[in-house]
Amino acid sequence: MSALPVDGTWPSGTTAYEKRRISDRVAQWDPEACIQCGNCAFVCPHAVIRAKFYDAEALVDAPAGFPSAALNAVGLPESRYTLQVYTEDCTGCGLCVEACPITAVPGTDVKAINLTDDRTVLDAGVDQVAFFESLPVNSRSRVDLGTVRGTQFLQPLFEFSGRVPAAVRRRT
C-alpha cells in the first residue's frame, strides 16, 4: 500500500508493459486465407489481435517475415493490411479461431487464424509488434465505424488484462 500515490490515483494501461508469455499456444495469422473481416480482433478479450492498413511504402523497413496482404477495400489502392498478434500477451484462449468465418481446409482444422505452439512464431512476434507499433494509427475519418471490420482499425481503449487465468495460478 505504501507504493500508492497520496492522492490515490494510479495510471491506467500499465499492463501493456507486462509481457508475461503465459501461453505455450498463440494465435498465428495466415494472410493468404484471410478475408479481412475483423472478427478475430473483435472477439479477442485482451486486444491482442489488432488490424491496421497503411501505404505499401511503409514496408521498406519491415523485419523479415512481417506478414501483410493487399487491402481489399475500395478507394485505397496500394494499401496493405496487417493483422498483428501480440504474441507475448496472447492467452491462447482460441476465441479468434472460433470467430473466424473461413471454412477450414478439408481434412484439417486450419483457418485464416490458428493457434500454434511454434517457438519461432513467439520469438519473431516481438520484432513484428515493434514494427507494427511504428506504423501510423489509422485516422478515424478513414474507417467505417458502422462495421465490425472498420472498428478494428481503431486503437483499443482496453487492452492486455492484468488478470491471470486460473490455469496459470494453479501452476505457480
Side-chain angles (χ1 to χ4, degrees):
M1 297 301 268
S2 63
L4 286 174
V6 177
D7 64 358
T9 60
W10 194 260
S12 61
T14 57
T15 55
Y17 305 109
E18 298 175 22
K19 304 300 180 191
R20 299 173 293 165
R21 250 185 168 168
I22 62 172
S23 179
D24 292 334
R25 297 177 49 135
V26 296
Q28 182 180 20
W29 177 56
D30 180 359
E32 300 296 319
C34 184
I35 61 171
Q36 303 174 10
C37 67
N39 288 353
C40 53
F42 182 73
V43 301
C44 182
H46 301 113
V48 169
I49 302 172
R50 304 195 186 167
K52 279 188 185 176
F53 64 88
Y54 47 88
D55 291 329
E57 303 95 50
L59 290 175
V60 172
D61 297 325
F66 183 77
S68 74
L71 178 67
N72 64 2
V74 177
L76 295 168
E78 303 300 318
S79 292
R80 303 293 292 176
Y81 172 88
T82 294
L83 190 69
Q84 183 62 52
V85 177
Y86 283 59
T87 56
E88 291 186 311
D89 300 300
C90 183
T91 62
C93 69
L95 290 174
C96 54
V97 179
E98 294 297 321
C100 182
I102 298 298
T103 304
V105 177
T108 71
D109 57 350
V110 177
K111 295 176 137 187
I113 193 156
N114 303 284
L115 292 180
T116 183
D117 55 2
D118 186 355
R119 300 308 295 174
T120 58
V121 172
L122 287 167
D123 296 335
V126 176
D127 293 333
Q128 291 174 356
V129 165
F131 178 75
F132 181 79
E133 289 182 345
S134 74
L135 295 171
V137 175
N138 296 122
S139 169
R140 294 179 75 85
S141 65
R142 295 186 70 196
V143 300
D144 182 3
L145 300 176
T147 64
V148 168
R149 178 185 180 194
T151 61
Q152 300 320 296
F153 291 122
L154 301 175
Q155 183 76 20
L157 300 178
F158 294 104
E159 58 186 354
F160 310 131
S161 170
R163 180 186 168 282
V164 178
V168 175
R169 284 195 303 263
R170 279 187 231 110
R171 281 189 277 173
T172 56

